[in-house]
Amino acid sequence: MINFFALGLVTYLGGAVMQRTILFKLAYFFLLFHFIIKYYHYNIGKNLKISHYLKNDHLFYNEKIEVIIKIENNSFLPILWLKFKEFLPNKLTILEEQHLSYFKAGEKKEWQFNLKAKKRGFYKIGPLKWEIGDFLGYELTRGELKELEVYIYPKILNLEELGLASRLPFGNSKWPQPIYKDPYKTAGIREYQPADRLNQIHWKASAKTGELKSRQNESTVSIDTALVLNMSQEDYGLKFLERKTELAVTAAASMAYYLNRVGHSFKFLSNAVIEGTDWEEFNAYQQKINTKNKSGERSGLEVEKSVNTLESEADNVNKSNEIESDSAAAANFNSYLKLPSGSGDAHLQELLELLARVEISKADNFLNLLTDELDLAWGGTLIIFTDKDDSELIQVVENLLRRGYNIKIMILGDEVVHREYSYLPFTAPLSIHHLRRERDLHEG
């Protein structure tokens, strides 16, 4: 493309050397044209407002993702042409949103396009790249808007769809000895005793009877529940790997949704890895969570990295071989994801965000997770989501039973190996539940 500024300078010098008036006039024309175009782009760029946003950045499976782009020309000059391109996640669509438009002075336009939340995950929409030009294409003004982030939660199913009873025995249980008093549950009213605190006095009953009365609270304890998700490729095998692990994530999300609905607290553990398992991205995700925790926001999410495997291997090699590339480290490091116990919609949302991002792990470390990382109070319920109930798992589970846990194993594989536990009620100390059969894995 011709540079009119340079052409104007050359023509001006030529006019000065040759003493030709026509060359001076051409030089002034080229320079004037150059500065007019420059001012045009400066004015348009200064008065152009472009924005894109999502109506909702947290969606459930199969919901509609609505992306809105707004462009406003606040200049007194028209925009001869403006082109923008929105980059979309290839897992959600194979198309790219692209438009070319003309804007009058002061004109506003809005575009809206929809995607379907057809696959759980953490996606980035964008960046939105735009450019404007003049009628000769002499100069282009370009810009870019940052990416939009959207979470697509796993599919939520009813318990009946998973082959479980519609109601499960979760909630608060009465403690056998009256040691811990629940201040929110009143068992009755009794006479006031000097040792009673002021907050134990039942003022309404005292006013009605004319004598001091105290609340008698129930002795209750909240039974702790842990959801443990196995995402090890080694345990699931390659056949129907994605379908079975997706079902495991769906089952964990559905169980968490049910527990939240009945007002029960729960924690979460998994050997899954976060989407993008290289060291750099994993550390960035961990740093983001740590920063969120330091700022005082409610986020119990902790991401812990266990590098025992790497350390044991490093001890057996020379120091010159201890430094590995990022790609090699990404394939080998073990990760444990933990969400501490909590309840309520905010806690459920934290878990669903985490489940949206989990991916299959190549590390064979699920039994280590159960034996070394499990932190559950006596009498707690352990719900395990895995592919099969092999002898190694049952051996670990029997050791956990001796620690006073109630254990429920949700099998995602083809069949239950230890069938003697598959017909027991949910209230049994150990029960195995086959969530779906092999033919169900072929369903869309």
Side-chain angles (χ1 to χ4, degrees):
M1 180 62 65
I2 298 175
N3 189 325
F4 286 99
F5 182 77
L7 185 61
L9 292 178
V10 171
T11 308
Y12 183 86
L13 292 175
V17 172
M18 301 177 65
Q19 294 296 314
R20 295 291 183 90
T21 305
I22 187 65
L23 294 179
F24 284 112
K25 291 181 179 180
L26 284 175
Y28 294 145
F29 172 77
F30 291 144
L31 292 174
L32 179 63
F33 184 82
H34 169 79
F35 286 112
I36 288 175
I37 295 296
K38 281 290 185 180
Y39 175 77
Y40 173 82
H41 282 272
Y42 168 79
N43 185 275
I44 292 295
K46 184 179 179 180
N47 294 283
L48 180 66
K49 290 185 178 180
I50 301 180
S51 63
H52 69 153
Y53 61 91
L54 298 165
K55 278 195 173 181
N56 189 0
D57 57 3
H58 290 72
L59 301 107
F60 284 96
Y61 175 82
N62 233 18
E63 287 187 333
K64 184 169 62 174
I65 305 172
E66 297 182 66
V67 186
I68 297 175
I69 299 173
K70 289 185 177 181
I71 302 179
E72 182 177 348
N73 178 21
N74 293 325
S75 172
F76 66 91
L77 298 171
I79 298 177
L80 301 180
W81 63 266
L82 181 146
K83 182 175 70 174
F84 69 84
K85 180 186 292 186
E86 183 80 283
F87 293 89
L88 306 176
N90 56 13
K91 289 186 179 180
L92 301 181
T93 180
I94 59 174
L95 302 176
E96 289 183 355
E97 198 69 16
Q98 181 172 319
H99 291 274
L100 180 65
S101 297
Y102 165 80
F103 282 80
K104 299 177 182 177
E107 187 177 7
K108 302 177 184 179
K109 288 186 180 181
E110 179 178 308
W111 288 265
Q112 177 175 329
F113 59 92
N114 301 318
L115 302 173
K116 200 159 190 180
K118 59 184 180 181
K119 186 175 179 58
R120 70 166 180 89
F122 173 72
Y123 299 99
K124 293 184 178 180
I125 296 177
L128 174 65
K129 296 184 177 182
W130 57 270
E131 62 181 33
I132 56 177
D134 49 77
F135 62 94
L136 288 180
Y138 176 65
E139 186 172 335
L140 295 176
T141 300
R142 295 184 175 92
E144 182 177 311
L145 298 183
K146 66 178 183 179
E147 298 168 321
L148 303 173
E149 297 180 347
V150 57
Y151 286 89
I152 299 179
Y153 295 148
K155 186 187 299 185
I156 302 295
L157 301 177
N158 296 325
L159 296 183
E160 299 96 316
E161 295 179 83
L162 294 171
L164 299 173
S166 59
R167 295 181 62 85
L168 297 179
F170 285 105
N172 293 331
S173 300
K174 288 189 177 181
W175 197 251
Q177 296 179 357
I179 300 177
Y180 306 101
K181 298 293 185 180
D182 189 337
Y184 301 104
K185 293 192 175 182
T186 302
I189 301 173
R190 58 172 173 78
E191 297 294 330
Y192 171 78
Q193 297 177 5
D196 292 342
R197 298 179 179 180
L198 288 177
N199 61 357
Q200 290 182 256
I201 298 176
H202 197 300
W203 294 107
K204 288 185 178 180
S206 299
K208 184 179 292 186
T209 60
E211 298 179 358
L212 284 178
K213 301 289 183 181
S214 297
R215 291 186 179 88
Q216 186 172 358
N217 296 325
E218 279 190 2
S219 173
T220 63
V221 64
S222 180
I223 302 300
D224 205 6
T225 298
L227 306 177
V228 184
L229 173 63
N230 184 8
M231 289 289 283
S232 175
Q233 177 179 314
E234 186 73 19
D235 293 331
Y236 283 88
L238 297 178
K239 185 178 181 181
F240 303 125
L241 173 62
E242 183 177 356
R243 287 182 178 270
K244 288 191 289 187
T245 52
E246 285 302 308
L247 178 57
V249 173
T250 295
S254 302
M255 182 64 71
Y257 180 83
Y258 173 81
L259 293 174
N260 180 69
R261 193 178 63 185
V262 299
H264 192 67
S265 62
F266 58 89
K267 62 177 61 176
F268 174 78
L269 301 92
S270 179
N271 62 342
V273 296
I274 295 297
E275 181 184 10
T277 54
D278 59 284
W279 280 111
E280 184 177 354
E281 184 168 351
F282 192 90
N283 287 334
Y285 183 76
Q286 184 180 27
Q287 183 64 33
K288 178 181 177 182
I289 294 169
N290 291 339
T291 303
K292 187 177 180 181
N293 287 335
K294 289 179 182 178
S295 66
E297 296 181 20
R298 185 191 182 282
S299 175
L301 184 59
E302 301 175 356
V303 180
E304 299 183 354
K305 295 177 296 181
S306 173
V307 293
N308 294 332
T309 302
L310 289 178
E311 292 176 353
S312 61
E313 292 176 354
D315 291 337
N316 298 327
V317 296
N318 297 326
K319 291 184 178 180
S320 59
N321 296 327
E322 290 178 354
I323 301 176
E324 297 181 314
S325 64
D326 288 342
S327 60
N332 291 327
F333 81 93
N334 298 334
S335 64
Y336 295 124
L337 306 179
K338 289 186 178 183
L339 182 66
S341 183
S343 60
D345 292 341
H347 184 67
L348 176 63
Q349 181 177 343
E350 284 182 328
L351 176 59
L352 293 179
E353 287 182 3
L354 180 58
L355 289 176
R357 299 195 66 175
V358 297
E359 288 188 344
I360 300 166
S361 171
K362 294 184 179 180
D364 185 13
N365 58 356
F366 182 64
L367 295 182
N368 293 336
L369 172 64
L370 292 177
T371 55
D372 301 335
E373 304 294 329
L374 187 61
D375 181 19
L376 194 62
W378 183 91
T381 299
L382 183 63
I383 304 178
I384 300 173
F385 302 88
T386 188
D387 180 64
K388 55 183 179 295
D389 54 322
D390 53 25
S391 56
E392 291 83 1
L393 175 61
I394 295 300
Q395 184 177 356
V396 172
V397 164
E398 288 175 347
N399 292 332
L400 294 176
L401 285 173
R402 287 191 282 270
R403 291 164 60 178
Y405 298 151
N406 298 300
I407 301 175
K408 320 300 166 193
I409 304 177
M410 306 295 167
I411 299 299
L412 289 310
D414 300 340
E415 60 179 356
V416 175
V417 178
H418 297 81
R419 296 186 179 182
E420 63 271 23
Y421 298 112
S422 62
Y423 300 104
L424 299 180
F426 206 83
T427 53
L430 172 59
S431 59
I432 298 178
H433 306 268
H434 194 191
L435 295 189
R436 302 183 80 181
R437 292 164 293 186
E438 181 179 354
R439 68 168 180 265
D440 296 323
L441 297 173
H442 299 280
E443 296 180 359

